[in-house]
Amino acid sequence: MPGMLVLLVLFGLGAYLLESNSSIFALAERERGLDTFKQRHVDMDTLWKFLLAGETDKELGEPYKMYPVDVTYPSQKFHATLVEYPFGSTPRVDAQDVFPRGIMLYVHGYNDYFFQREMAEKADSAGFAFFAVDLHFCGRSYREGEVRADMRNLKEYYRELDYAIELSRQIVKENVERESRANRDTGENAEAEFFEIHNKAMSLPFVMVGHSMGGLLTSLYVNDRSLDKFDAVVLNSPFFEYNFNVLMRKVVFPLISEFALYFPDFSVGSTGDPNYAYSLLKSEKGEWEYNLDLKSMDRPTQYLGWVRAIFKGHRRVEKGLRINSPVLVLHSNCSEKDKEWNDNYTHCDGVLDVEHIKERSANIGGNVKMVEVQDALHDVFLSKTPARDFAYETMFKCIDSSIK
C-alpha cells in the first residue's frame, strides 16, 4: 500500500492544485455537517420493530440472540446487527438478582465481527448484561453485493450505535419485567412497583467497549454524544494512528485525503499481511476459531474514501477530544510489523504501533487510564491466557470503580 499511496500523492497534489479551494471547502463543510446531534436520535416505533424481530443468533446459536438494526444515514440505507447474550446465561453468585449491575456494549474492529464467547460470559458473570454490535457491511450485517467493511465517514455508524444502545436498554427492561412478573405485587402498590422497575432498568450504568477501529469509533461517538451518559469507556488497542512512518502520516496521508474528496471509490487494494490472523487462528499459531467469511485472513479491498474517513478521525483525536467518561485504554507492551512471520506475533501487537496508542490516548479526555498488558496481542482479549486474564481483571476493576 505505501508504494501505491506515494503514486497517488502525485495525482492528489495535481488535483489539489487544479481544483479551486472553495470547492474543497464546500465538500469538507458538508462532511462536518453530518450528524451533529449531541444525544441519541431514536424513533421508538422503529425500535420496537427491531425488538420484535429478534431471533436466535445464527453464528453462535443458543442462548445468543440477534436483532436487526436498519437505519438511513443521511440518505443511504444501512443494516447493522445487535447481538445479545441474555443476562443470567452464565452461573454466578448473585444468580437470584434479576437486575444486572449495568449494560455493556462491545464494538468490533476493522474486518471483524463479534465471536468472543468468553467476553460475553465473563461480563455476565461480573453482573453485566452483555451486547455487541456488528456494524454495517461487517460480520452478520454484511449482505451480498456490498463492499465489505467499507465506509465513507465514521459518523455513518452513529445512528446504528444510537439504536444499539437504546435497544440494549429496552431488551434489559423487558427481560427484567418478565422475570419480576411472577413476584410482582398485584395490589395497590403494583403500579408504583412497575414504574420503579422501569426506571431502574432504563437508568442502569452503561459501558462502551471498543476494539481497534471500534475503539476509534467509540471514542468519537462518546465525545460527540456529549449529552448522553456513559459510565465507563474501555478501549482495546484503539486505532488512533496509521502504522506508517512519519513521512507517510504527516505528508502523504493529508494529500491522499484531499484527493479522496474527488475519487472516494478509487481502490488502493488490500493492506497488511496474514500474520495477525495466524496469531489468532487455532488452525495456525493461535487458539481461536471464527468464521473466515466474516473475518478474513486478508483484509478487504480498501478505497480512498475509507482511507480519508479514518485519517479524518485520527486528526480529530490528535487535536484532542473531551470525553467526559472515565476511560481505560488497554494495549500491548510491544509491536511487530515484519512482513515475515516470527514469534513476536504471538505476544505483541501485530497491527498497530503501541507508541502511537499511548501518545494519542493522552488527548482524548481528562480521566484516562492507560494500562500496558504484558505479552498481549492487538486484541488483548484474544491473547494467551495470562495476558487476557490480566486484561479482564483490569477492565472489571476499572468499571467497578467507575459505576459505584
Side-chain angles (χ1 to χ4, degrees), residues 44-55 66-68 167 170-171 174 178:
M44 294 306 295
D45 289 339
T46 301
L47 187 80
W48 277 102
K49 291 179 182 178
F50 299 159
L51 180 63
L52 295 174
E55 59 180 326
M66 56 187 287
Y67 302 84
L167 184 55
Q170 288 292 334
I171 291 170
E174 291 294 311
R178 186 182 307 111

Side-chain angles (χ1 to χ4, degrees), residues 190-210:
E191 185 174 354
E193 183 180 349
F194 172 82
F195 281 110
E196 181 182 356
I197 291 173
H198 173 88
N199 292 335
K200 184 177 179 181
M202 296 305 290
S203 60
L204 286 169
F206 204 97
V207 178
M208 296 283 289
V209 181

Side-chain angles (χ1 to χ4, degrees), residues 122-354:
K122 285 185 177 293
D124 189 86
S125 295
F128 291 88
F130 182 86
F131 296 85
V133 60
D134 277 13
L135 301 168
H136 68 256
F137 298 170
C138 300
R140 299 165 178 80
S141 304
Y142 174 78
R143 299 293 181 265
E144 186 175 355
E146 295 175 341
V147 182
R148 194 160 63 85
D150 195 29
M151 57 94 188
R152 292 294 177 268
N153 192 305
L154 284 161
K155 288 186 175 181
E156 285 180 14
Y157 299 121
Y158 281 17
R159 197 60 55 81
E160 57 209 66
L161 288 179
D162 286 349
Y163 276 96
I165 291 169
E166 195 63 31
L167 184 55
S168 299
R169 286 199 177 279
Q170 288 292 334
I171 291 170
V172 170
K173 180 183 74 70
E174 291 294 311
N175 291 344
V176 167
E177 288 180 352
R178 186 182 307 111
E179 292 293 328
S180 302
R181 192 168 290 124
N183 300 318
R184 185 181 298 169
D185 187 348
T186 57
E188 61 182 16
N189 296 324
E191 185 174 354
E193 183 180 349
F194 172 82
F195 281 110
E196 181 182 356
I197 291 173
H198 173 88
N199 292 335
K200 184 177 179 181
M202 296 305 290
S203 60
L204 286 169
F206 204 97
V207 178
M208 296 283 289
V209 181
H211 168 55
S212 196
M213 194 193 87
L216 172 63
L217 170 60
T218 296
S219 299
L220 296 173
Y221 176 82
V222 171
N223 179 83
D224 293 345
R225 293 296 194 258
S226 57
L227 296 182
D228 286 328
K229 183 182 180 183
F230 299 96
D231 297 87
V233 176
V234 179
L235 304 179
N236 167 11
S237 302
F239 181 22
F240 284 161
E241 185 58 274
Y242 282 114
N243 192 5
F244 291 112
N245 62 45
V246 66
L247 178 65
M248 292 290 294
R249 291 185 286 113
K250 299 298 185 181
V251 178
V252 175
F253 277 106
L255 289 171
I256 292 303
S257 179
E258 297 302 333
F259 180 74
L261 276 169
Y262 306 101
F263 302 98
D265 299 327
F266 188 97
S267 171
V268 294
S270 177
T271 63
D273 53 58
N275 290 328
Y276 177 55
Y278 293 161
S279 73
L280 297 179
L281 283 165
K282 189 174 183 178
S283 59
E284 298 291 340
K285 312 287 185 178
E287 54 184 282
W288 306 101
E289 294 178 319
Y290 51 82
N291 188 336
L292 289 173
D293 290 332
L294 304 186
K295 179 179 173 68
S296 58
M297 293 277 283
D298 296 318
R299 298 173 193 172
T301 299
Q302 294 175 342
Y303 298 85
L304 285 187
W306 183 91
V307 174
R308 173 182 170 80
I310 295 295
F311 172 78
K312 300 295 283 187
H314 288 169
R315 294 294 70 79
R316 285 193 63 195
V317 172
E318 182 180 21
K319 291 177 181 178
L321 303 179
R322 295 182 178 180
I323 296 176
N324 297 320
S325 310
V327 181
L328 171 66
V329 179
L330 298 168
H331 61 81
S332 180
N333 63 301
C334 56
S335 298
E336 180 56 62
K337 61 184 297 184
D338 197 304
K339 291 184 178 180
E340 299 299 323
W341 169 266
N342 64 72
D343 285 342
N344 285 340
Y345 277 105
T346 65
H347 62 85
C348 292
D349 190 321
V351 178
L352 299 179
D353 186 328
V354 296

